[in-house]
Amino acid sequence: MTVLEQHGAYTPAPPPSWRPRTAPGPLLPDAEPYRVLGAERPEGAEGAEAPDGELLLRLYASVVNGRRYNEQATALTKQGRLAVYPSSTGQEACQVAAALALQERDWLFPSYRDTLAAVARGLDPVEVLSLLRGDWHHGYDTRASRVAPLCTPLATQLPHAVGLAHAARLKGDDVAALALVGDGGTSEGDFHEALNFAAVWQAPVVFLVQNNGFAISVPLAKQTAAPSLAHKAVGYGMPGRLVDGNDAVAVHEVLTEALDRARTGGGPTLVEAVTYRLEAHTNADDATRYRTDDEVSAWRAHDPVALLESELRGRGLLDDAGVREAAEAAEKRAGELRERMNQDPELDPMELFAHVFAEQTTQLRAQADQLRAELAAAEDEPGHAPGHSNGSNSGSGNSNGNGNGNGRGEARR
């Protein structure tokens, strides 16, 4: 028995500062992942109406393009055109649904595995891959695109999303932020800090955890004993939603509801999308060391592309010609990406010092002057090819990827 439970103890005016602000019941996620595709929808039940056909077709075209994009980016890594590529093959439904659920004015905060979400948001795929190529900063204009830089450190993008969302609310802007993170990121302190601040401030932010089963090689069961990651929302005082991450329609529906709730003052939501990473963690990983082929095959049977295709065919919205058309469009985009990535960029070394600080520091200016002098001295050396080491090129061909390619890589790789 605590002091507050003793008979006659002082009871402060409600609500007591020691009592949780929110009852836990309404915050709890469903016992099973919410799904739409292939699920029975009893007539008259809430959400029983069939998914919008136009949305289904848009999602299908996007996941087909996303699958081919992942394949092409993986191939570019093997060819040495990318330093590393964390594939999202198998997770395309999460990526595409996240991008399409956002309003134009909203912000996306991706992790390193979320290049497809950025592309689906409308960014140039070459610009999105610049970071993984080792090129010009992170490759795209964050303010214009409202897509934060791809975040390599685990979960550090989450507090940034909360800060932006909170600032937008203080300014009266009708903006929501969507922050993407993997299951491994939920084991980081930044995850706790972000969710705690978001709930206390009632910030208009939605957290999407793509639970693909492994933090590199560590299975979820060795990271947490919680019934689900969505249950963690209750401890912070926000709703938790559990959704089938391979069901693009279900993910889109849940995220759209959560973002609408955030924009209208309802506060943050934690969404756990149960999905699976079909490929290795990156090109440096050997996934056969920690999972079986049978496990991967079981998840291939729940492929997000096949789920959408089956729904569309069943409703008469897609036939063989439509499947072929979507595949050809995706192949065309992959070919354009391959051609442009096969062109060696011309780099301007002086751009190392751009966009580091709003106003360059004394130390940074000194470093820039030193490099400028070294480049000038190198240019005066006998046998030097003019225009290659002095940074005379603006570097825009590297940052915006508008090169025409060199004709290599015509065959599908």
Side-chain angles (χ1 to χ4, degrees), residues 228-277:
S228 74
L229 294 173
H231 277 78
K232 292 179 180 288
V234 181
Y236 297 101
M238 69 178 71
R241 294 296 307 272
L242 185 62
V243 63
D244 183 345
N246 285 19
D247 185 334
V249 181
V251 178
H252 184 273
E253 182 179 317
V254 168
L255 290 179
T256 298
E257 291 176 357
L259 287 164
D260 287 345
R261 178 177 176 273
R263 291 190 207 94
T264 54
T269 303
L270 174 63
V271 179
E272 176 188 356
V274 181
T275 183
Y276 195 79
R277 167 171 53 79

Coordinates of all heavy atoms in Angstrom, one line a residue, residues 228-277:
S228 N 3.5 -7.0 -29.1 CA 3.7 -6.5 -30.5 C 4.4 -5.1 -30.3 O 4.4 -4.5 -29.2 CB 2.4 -6.3 -31.3 OG 1.7 -5.2 -30.8
L229 N 5.1 -4.6 -31.3 CA 5.7 -3.3 -31.2 C 4.6 -2.2 -31.1 O 4.8 -1.2 -30.5 CB 6.6 -3.0 -32.4 CG 7.8 -3.9 -32.5 CD1 8.5 -3.7 -33.8 CD2 8.7 -3.7 -31.3
A230 N 3.4 -2.5 -31.7 CA 2.3 -1.5 -31.6 C 1.8 -1.3 -30.1 O 1.3 -0.3 -29.8 CB 1.1 -2.0 -32.4
H231 N 2.0 -2.4 -29.3 CA 1.6 -2.3 -27.9 C 2.5 -1.2 -27.2 O 2.0 -0.7 -26.1 CB 1.8 -3.6 -27.2 CG 0.6 -4.5 -27.3 ND1 0.4 -5.3 -28.5 CD2 -0.4 -4.8 -26.5 CE1 -0.7 -6.0 -28.3 NE2 -1.2 -5.7 -27.1
K232 N 3.7 -0.9 -27.7 CA 4.5 0.1 -27.0 C 3.8 1.5 -27.0 O 4.2 2.3 -26.2 CB 5.9 0.2 -27.7 CG 6.7 -1.1 -27.5 CD 8.0 -1.0 -28.2 CE 8.9 -2.2 -28.0 NZ 9.4 -2.3 -26.7
A233 N 2.9 1.7 -27.9 CA 2.2 3.0 -28.0 C 1.5 3.3 -26.7 O 1.5 4.5 -26.2 CB 1.2 3.0 -29.1
V234 N 1.0 2.3 -26.0 CA 0.2 2.5 -24.8 C 1.0 3.2 -23.7 O 0.5 4.1 -23.0 CB -0.4 1.2 -24.3 CG1 -1.3 1.4 -23.0 CG2 -1.2 0.5 -25.4
G235 N 2.2 2.7 -23.6 CA 3.1 3.3 -22.5 C 3.4 4.8 -22.7 O 3.8 5.5 -21.8
Y236 N 3.2 5.3 -23.9 CA 3.5 6.7 -24.2 C 2.2 7.5 -24.2 O 2.3 8.7 -24.3 CB 4.2 6.8 -25.5 CG 5.6 6.2 -25.5 CD1 5.8 4.9 -26.1 CD2 6.7 6.8 -24.9 CE1 7.1 4.3 -26.0 CE2 7.9 6.2 -24.8 CZ 8.1 5.0 -25.4 OH 9.3 4.4 -25.3
G237 N 1.1 6.8 -24.3 CA -0.2 7.5 -24.3 C -0.7 7.9 -25.7 O -1.3 8.9 -25.9
M238 N -0.4 7.0 -26.6 CA -0.9 7.3 -28.0 C -1.5 6.0 -28.5 O -1.2 4.9 -28.0 CB 0.2 7.7 -28.9 CG 1.3 6.7 -29.2 SD 2.6 7.3 -30.4 CE 3.5 8.4 -29.3
P239 N -2.4 6.0 -29.5 CA -2.9 4.8 -30.1 C -1.9 4.0 -30.8 O -0.9 4.5 -31.4 CB -4.0 5.3 -31.1 CG -4.2 6.7 -30.7 CD -2.9 7.2 -30.2
G240 N -2.0 2.7 -30.7 CA -1.2 1.7 -31.5 C -2.0 1.0 -32.5 O -3.1 0.6 -32.2
R241 N -1.5 0.9 -33.7 CA -2.2 0.1 -34.8 C -1.3 -1.0 -35.3 O -0.1 -0.8 -35.5 CB -2.6 1.0 -35.9 CG -3.7 2.1 -35.6 CD -5.0 1.5 -35.2 NE -5.5 0.6 -36.1 CZ -6.3 0.9 -37.2 NH1 -6.6 2.1 -37.4 NH2 -6.8 -0.1 -38.0
L242 N -1.9 -2.2 -35.5 CA -1.1 -3.3 -36.0 C -1.8 -3.6 -37.4 O -3.0 -3.9 -37.5 CB -1.3 -4.5 -35.1 CG -0.5 -5.8 -35.4 CD1 1.0 -5.5 -35.4 CD2 -0.8 -6.9 -34.4
V243 N -0.9 -3.7 -38.4 CA -1.5 -3.8 -39.8 C -0.6 -4.8 -40.6 O 0.6 -4.9 -40.3 CB -1.5 -2.4 -40.5 CG1 -0.1 -1.8 -40.6 CG2 -2.2 -2.5 -41.8
D244 N -1.2 -5.5 -41.5 CA -0.5 -6.4 -42.4 C 0.3 -5.5 -43.3 O -0.2 -4.8 -44.2 CB -1.5 -7.2 -43.2 CG -0.8 -8.2 -44.1 OD1 0.4 -8.1 -44.4 OD2 -1.5 -9.2 -44.6
G245 N 1.6 -5.5 -43.2 CA 2.5 -4.7 -44.0 C 2.6 -5.0 -45.4 O 3.2 -4.3 -46.2
N246 N 2.2 -6.2 -45.8 CA 2.2 -6.6 -47.2 C 0.9 -6.3 -47.9 O 0.8 -6.5 -49.1 CB 2.5 -8.1 -47.3 CG 4.0 -8.4 -47.1 OD1 4.7 -7.6 -46.5 ND2 4.4 -9.6 -47.5
D247 N -0.1 -5.8 -47.2 CA -1.4 -5.4 -47.7 C -1.3 -3.9 -48.0 O -1.6 -3.1 -47.0 CB -2.5 -5.8 -46.7 CG -3.9 -5.5 -47.3 OD1 -4.1 -4.6 -48.1 OD2 -4.8 -6.2 -46.8
A248 N -1.1 -3.5 -49.2 CA -0.9 -2.0 -49.5 C -2.1 -1.2 -49.2 O -2.0 -0.1 -48.7 CB -0.5 -1.9 -50.9
V249 N -3.3 -1.8 -49.4 CA -4.5 -1.1 -49.2 C -4.7 -0.9 -47.7 O -5.1 0.2 -47.2 CB -5.7 -1.8 -49.8 CG1 -7.0 -1.1 -49.5 CG2 -5.5 -2.1 -51.3
A250 N -4.5 -1.9 -46.9 CA -4.6 -1.8 -45.4 C -3.7 -0.8 -44.8 O -4.0 0.1 -44.0 CB -4.4 -3.1 -44.8
V251 N -2.4 -0.8 -45.3 CA -1.4 0.2 -44.8 C -1.8 1.6 -45.2 O -1.7 2.5 -44.4 CB 0.0 -0.2 -45.3 CG1 1.0 0.9 -44.8 CG2 0.4 -1.6 -44.9
H252 N -2.2 1.8 -46.4 CA -2.7 3.1 -46.9 C -3.8 3.6 -46.0 O -3.9 4.8 -45.6 CB -3.0 3.0 -48.4 CG -3.4 4.3 -49.0 ND1 -4.7 4.9 -48.9 CD2 -2.6 5.3 -49.6 CE1 -4.7 6.0 -49.5 NE2 -3.5 6.3 -49.9
E253 N -4.8 2.7 -45.8 CA -6.0 3.1 -45.0 C -5.6 3.5 -43.6 O -6.1 4.5 -43.1 CB -7.0 1.9 -45.0 CG -8.3 2.2 -44.3 CD -9.2 1.1 -44.3 OE1 -9.4 0.4 -45.4 OE2 -9.8 0.7 -43.2
V254 N -4.8 2.7 -42.9 CA -4.4 3.0 -41.5 C -3.6 4.3 -41.4 O -3.8 5.1 -40.6 CB -3.6 1.8 -41.0 CG1 -3.0 2.1 -39.6 CG2 -4.6 0.6 -40.8
L255 N -2.6 4.4 -42.4 CA -1.8 5.6 -42.3 C -2.6 6.9 -42.7 O -2.4 7.9 -42.1 CB -0.6 5.5 -43.3 CG 0.4 4.5 -42.9 CD1 1.5 4.5 -44.0 CD2 1.1 4.8 -41.6
T256 N -3.5 6.8 -43.6 CA -4.4 7.9 -44.0 C -5.2 8.4 -42.8 O -5.3 9.6 -42.4 CB -5.3 7.6 -45.1 OG1 -4.5 7.2 -46.3 CG2 -6.2 8.7 -45.5
E257 N -5.8 7.4 -42.0 CA -6.6 7.7 -40.8 C -5.7 8.4 -39.8 O -6.1 9.3 -39.1 CB -7.2 6.5 -40.3 CG -8.3 5.9 -41.2 CD -8.9 4.6 -40.6 OE1 -8.3 4.1 -39.6 OE2 -9.8 4.0 -41.2
A258 N -4.5 7.8 -39.6 CA -3.6 8.3 -38.5 C -3.1 9.7 -38.9 O -3.0 10.6 -38.0 CB -2.4 7.4 -38.4
L259 N -2.8 10.0 -40.2 CA -2.4 11.3 -40.6 C -3.5 12.3 -40.5 O -3.3 13.5 -40.0 CB -1.8 11.3 -42.0 CG -0.5 10.6 -42.2 CD1 -0.2 10.2 -43.6 CD2 0.7 11.4 -41.6
D260 N -4.7 11.9 -40.8 CA -5.9 12.8 -40.7 C -6.1 13.2 -39.2 O -6.4 14.3 -38.9 CB -7.1 12.2 -41.3 CG -7.1 12.1 -42.8 OD1 -6.3 12.9 -43.4 OD2 -7.9 11.4 -43.4
R261 N -6.0 12.2 -38.4 CA -6.1 12.4 -36.9 C -5.1 13.4 -36.4 O -5.4 14.2 -35.6 CB -6.0 11.0 -36.2 CG -6.1 11.1 -34.7 CD -6.1 9.7 -34.1 NE -6.1 9.8 -32.6 CZ -5.0 9.9 -31.9 NH1 -3.8 9.9 -32.5 NH2 -5.1 10.0 -30.6
A262 N -3.8 13.2 -36.9 CA -2.7 14.1 -36.4 C -3.0 15.5 -36.9 O -2.8 16.4 -36.1 CB -1.4 13.6 -37.0
R263 N -3.4 15.7 -38.1 CA -3.7 17.1 -38.6 C -4.8 17.8 -37.9 O -4.8 19.0 -37.8 CB -4.0 17.0 -40.1 CG -2.8 16.6 -41.0 CD -3.2 16.9 -42.5 NE -2.4 16.0 -43.3 CZ -2.9 14.8 -43.7 NH1 -4.1 14.4 -43.4 NH2 -2.1 14.0 -44.5
T264 N -5.8 17.0 -37.4 CA -6.9 17.6 -36.7 C -6.8 17.7 -35.2 O -7.8 17.8 -34.5 CB -8.2 16.8 -37.1 OG1 -8.0 15.5 -36.8 CG2 -8.5 17.0 -38.6
G265 N -5.6 17.6 -34.7 CA -5.3 17.8 -33.3 C -5.4 16.5 -32.5 O -5.4 16.6 -31.2
G266 N -5.5 15.4 -33.1 CA -5.6 14.1 -32.3 C -4.3 13.6 -31.8 O -4.4 12.6 -31.1
G267 N -3.2 14.2 -32.2 CA -1.9 13.7 -31.6 C -1.3 12.6 -32.5 O -1.8 12.2 -33.5
P268 N -0.3 12.0 -31.9 CA 0.5 11.0 -32.7 C -0.1 9.6 -32.7 O -1.0 9.3 -31.8 CB 1.9 11.0 -32.0 CG 1.5 11.3 -30.6 CD 0.4 12.3 -30.7
T269 N 0.4 8.7 -33.6 CA 0.0 7.3 -33.6 C 1.2 6.5 -34.0 O 2.0 6.9 -34.8 CB -1.1 7.1 -34.7 OG1 -2.2 7.9 -34.5 CG2 -1.6 5.6 -34.8
L270 N 1.3 5.3 -33.3 CA 2.3 4.4 -33.7 C 1.7 3.2 -34.5 O 0.8 2.6 -34.0 CB 3.0 3.8 -32.4 CG 4.0 2.7 -32.6 CD1 5.2 3.1 -33.4 CD2 4.4 2.1 -31.2
V271 N 2.2 3.0 -35.7 CA 1.7 2.0 -36.5 C 2.8 0.9 -36.8 O 3.9 1.3 -37.2 CB 1.2 2.5 -37.9 CG1 0.7 1.4 -38.8 CG2 0.1 3.6 -37.7
E272 N 2.5 -0.3 -36.5 CA 3.4 -1.4 -36.7 C 2.9 -2.2 -38.0 O 1.8 -2.7 -37.9 CB 3.5 -2.4 -35.6 CG 4.4 -3.6 -35.9 CD 4.5 -4.6 -34.8 OE1 3.8 -4.4 -33.8 OE2 5.1 -5.7 -35.0
A273 N 3.7 -2.2 -39.0 CA 3.3 -3.0 -40.2 C 4.2 -4.3 -40.2 O 5.4 -4.2 -40.3 CB 3.6 -2.1 -41.5
V274 N 3.5 -5.4 -40.2 CA 4.2 -6.7 -40.1 C 4.5 -7.1 -41.6 O 3.6 -7.4 -42.4 CB 3.3 -7.7 -39.4 CG1 4.1 -9.1 -39.4 CG2 3.0 -7.3 -38.0
T275 N 5.8 -7.1 -41.9 CA 6.2 -7.4 -43.3 C 7.4 -8.3 -43.2 O 7.7 -8.9 -42.2 CB 6.5 -6.1 -44.0 OG1 6.8 -6.4 -45.4 CG2 7.6 -5.3 -43.4
Y276 N 8.2 -8.4 -44.3 CA 9.3 -9.3 -44.3 C 10.3 -8.8 -45.4 O 9.9 -8.4 -46.5 CB 8.9 -10.7 -44.7 CG 10.0 -11.7 -44.3 CD1 10.2 -12.2 -43.0 CD2 10.8 -12.3 -45.3 CE1 11.2 -13.1 -42.7 CE2 11.8 -13.2 -45.0 CZ 11.9 -13.6 -43.7 OH 12.9 -14.6 -43.4
R277 N 11.6 -8.8 -45.0 CA 12.6 -8.4 -46.0 C 13.1 -9.7 -46.7 O 13.7 -10.6 -46.2 CB 13.8 -7.8 -45.2 CG 15.1 -7.7 -46.0 CD 16.2 -6.9 -45.2 NE 16.5 -7.4 -43.9 CZ 17.2 -8.4 -43.6 NH1 17.8 -9.1 -44.6 NH2 17.5 -8.8 -42.4

